[in-house]
Amino acid sequence: MDWDKLRIFHAVADAGSLTHAGDTLHLSQSAVSRQIRALEEALGTTLFHRHARGLILTEQGELLFDATSSMARKLDSASARMRDSAEHVLGELKVTTTVGFGTLWLAPRLVKLYEKFPDLKIDLMLEERVLDLPMREADVAIRMKEPSQSDLIRRRLLNIRMRLYATQTYLDHAGIPESMEDLTSHRLICQKIDQPQVAAGARLIQDIMAQEITSTLTVNNYFGVLQGVLANVGIGVLPDYLTADHPELVRVLPDIDSAEVPVFLAYPEELRQTRRVAAFRDFVLEEIQAYRRMQSEGATR
């Protein structure tokens, strides 16, 4: 098969439109159409169903698109490795993690990574949905559970727990609860049980809500929960990794917390030698070590 025609086919299949593919390839619509017809004739099959709203792949087209997608991922990986030099780390790195961990722990620390590698471009994708690393939806993931794919390199970073926190100002005003039952006279700030979050956190919230809490503030991510706590709105359910950066948080009911939640760093095997991935991995490991030291020092005070 003609490599150039395959490249054009992949762009059309990805865009679902001759016009949009032509814009991407800097070719006219008629030139793209001719190449697709020529490829279909060479293969002796129809690759697209054509209708007024665009193009839809036929069954044979889907098979070919799977193959060209795999080729594109491998070419991207090879190109990335060739761009990385022994001295420089540059180019785009797609990193995915949860909204809470990304906004509250990772993003504030990235300045140190940029100081070392100013030419690095990080695309930070924060969502609870688990992106597919082998399909290159992201290059690196930090997740609150061990990845299930076997072709990923993974490393356990730390274990976290969800706990109850408030500010001293709030506790001075509302009083300090001595038991779970005392929470009924306080405002609870948390995520809804049915919202995307770690299962251990949802179970802890469910146990607390069983006390028939009368006043609540629910937010769909930990960043919002933290802002409510810092504004003295109530007692929040938050991950314990926040305490290193927010010493003003006071733990409430120290005997109550969630089960341990493992945090994993993962990336595809094919990116093992990519310097951008290695630089990010080493940066995260260094920051985790520094975080643990801060935790240890805080515990001994």
Side-chain angles (χ1 to χ4, degrees):
M1 285 183 277
D2 187 310
W3 287 100
D4 196 50
K5 289 185 177 61
L6 290 177
R7 177 179 65 90
I8 293 172
F9 161 79
H10 183 79
V12 173
D14 192 47
S17 161
L18 294 172
T19 302
H20 292 157
D23 292 341
T24 301
L25 298 167
H26 305 293
L27 294 172
S28 67
Q29 179 181 344
S30 59
V32 173
S33 181
R34 283 196 302 273
Q35 293 291 334
I36 295 299
R37 282 200 304 272
L39 181 60
E40 289 179 324
E41 290 171 4
L43 295 174
T45 189
T46 300
L47 298 172
F48 294 98
H49 293 303
R50 294 160 174 81
H51 60 83
R53 291 176 296 175
L55 302 175
I56 296 177
L57 287 165
T58 64
E59 183 178 354
Q60 292 80 7
E62 290 280 4
L63 289 172
L64 186 58
F65 186 55
D66 286 344
T68 58
S69 296
S70 177
M71 291 161 54
R73 289 193 300 273
K74 290 179 180 178
L75 288 170
D76 286 345
S77 177
S79 176
R81 287 198 296 267
M82 288 187 289
R83 285 196 304 269
D84 287 339
S85 70
E87 295 82 19
H88 300 289
V89 174
L90 65 159
E92 184 181 68
L93 182 69
K94 295 183 289 185
V95 178
T96 181
T97 188
T98 60
V99 175
F101 195 82
T103 56
L104 298 172
W105 192 90
L106 180 58
R109 290 168 166 79
L110 286 178
V111 63
K112 300 175 185 177
L113 182 62
Y114 282 119
E115 286 172 354
K116 292 180 67 175
F117 308 111
D119 296 325
L120 190 60
K121 298 177 182 177
I122 296 175
D123 181 8
L124 188 56
M125 296 174 285
L126 305 180
E127 51 183 294
E128 307 309 314
R129 181 174 70 92
V130 177
L131 299 187
D132 194 326
L133 296 184
M135 292 299 291
R136 297 301 301 278
E137 287 188 301
D139 300 318
V140 184
I142 299 176
R143 283 294 169 191
M144 307 299 127
K145 62 182 294 186
E146 184 170 5
S148 58
Q149 296 99 327
S150 60
D151 53 349
L152 294 179
I153 297 173
R154 77 282 313 274
R155 178 151 184 175
R156 192 167 187 151
L157 298 175
L158 72 160
N159 297 315
I160 63 174
R161 291 181 185 269
M162 309 305 150
R163 291 170 170 163
L164 292 168
Y165 296 98
T167 60
Q168 190 61 54
T169 299
Y170 171 83
L171 295 174
D172 289 344
H173 172 74
I176 300 174
E178 300 294 336
S179 66
M180 184 87 86
E181 291 76 15
D182 290 346
L183 292 175
T184 57
S185 60
H186 291 267
R187 185 171 298 108
L188 184 70
I189 311 173
C190 62
Q191 299 189 61
K192 287 185 177 179
I193 296 171
D194 59 355
Q195 287 175 332
Q197 59 185 300
V198 294
R203 284 193 293 271
L204 176 60
I205 294 169
Q206 190 171 29
D207 290 344
I208 297 171
M209 287 295 192
Q211 305 303 314
E212 299 183 358
I213 307 298
T214 56
S215 181
T216 63
L217 169 63
T218 55
V219 190
N220 65 347
N221 58 64
Y222 288 127
F223 179 79
V225 174
L226 175 64
Q227 299 312 305
V229 171
L230 295 179
N232 308 312
V233 175
I235 297 172
V237 179
L238 288 165
D240 60 1
Y241 60 72
L242 289 174
T243 55
D245 296 333
H246 294 276
E248 69 272 33
L249 293 176
V250 178
R251 188 171 176 191
V252 177
L253 297 176
D255 293 335
I256 296 175
D257 56 17
S258 74
E260 278 192 340
V261 179
V263 181
F264 281 86
L265 174 76
Y267 51 92
E269 171 72 34
E270 64 194 61
L271 296 182
R272 178 194 290 270
Q273 302 302 325
T274 304
R275 284 191 56 78
R276 287 169 296 134
V277 171
F280 182 81
R281 177 200 64 210
D282 294 345
F283 154 74
V284 170
L285 293 177
E286 289 171 4
E287 289 301 310
I288 288 292
Q289 289 176 354
Y291 160 76
R292 284 174 171 161
R293 284 194 298 270
M294 290 178 65
Q295 272 194 323
S296 177
E297 291 169 1
T300 57
R301 289 191 186 118

